[in-house]
């Protein structure tokens, strides 16, 4: 129990990971979209996603050449479930979160990569 609790708390103790969770509350996204929204290198975004996924706060699914990330509908632990519920209401008035969310809404993987039809 304590180990699962700490994993969730540590995952959310980083501002970029919190931003990722807030973005994924808006829509399913690929790494390239999150990379553009956070203005970070792909390996850094992937590392953050791995930590979030291990904590049960994020899930991934392969779709052709894309890996899509989203929030789980039924998180595996009660800690992840409660923190995702709480974050749904928290930080919406934070300027960084607002700006990241606005940018995330407009990003399109096809435009970013040029790899769509």
């Amino acid at each position: 129990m304590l180990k699962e609790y700490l994993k969730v708390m540590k995952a959310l103790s980083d501002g970029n990971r919190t931003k990722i969770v807030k973005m994924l509350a808006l829509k399913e996204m690929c790494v390239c979209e999150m990379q553009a929204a956070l203005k970070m290198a792909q390996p850094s975004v992937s590392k953050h996603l791995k930590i979030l996924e291990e904590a049960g706060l994020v899930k991934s699914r392969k779709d052709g050449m894309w890996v899509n990330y989203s929030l789980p509908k039924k998180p595996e632990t009660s800690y992840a479930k409660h923190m995702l519920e709480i974050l749904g209401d928290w930080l919406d008035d934070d300027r960084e979160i607002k700006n990241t969310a606005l940018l995330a809404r407009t990003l399109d993987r096809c435009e970013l990569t040029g790899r769509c039809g």
Side-chain angles (χ1 to χ4, degrees), residues 11-12 18 24 30 40 46 49 52 57 60 64 66 71 81 99:
L12 292 172
T18 299
L24 293 177
C30 66
M40 293 176 66
S46 293
L49 286 165
L52 289 167
L57 296 163
S60 63
W66 305 105
L71 301 182
K81 179 181 184 273
N99 291 341

Side-chain angles (χ1 to χ4, degrees), residues 6-19:
L6 291 173
K7 199 177 274 194
V8 170
M9 293 301 125
K10 285 180 181 179
L12 292 172
S13 69
D14 181 273
N16 287 314
R17 291 193 288 268
T18 299
K19 288 177 190 175

Side-chain angles (χ1 to χ4, degrees), residues 1 4 13 15-16 22 30 47 56 69 105-106:
M1 295 283 241
E4 291 153 354
S13 69
N16 287 314
K22 293 298 280 183
C30 66
K47 181 181 174 187
Y69 290 87
R105 283 187 183 106
T106 66

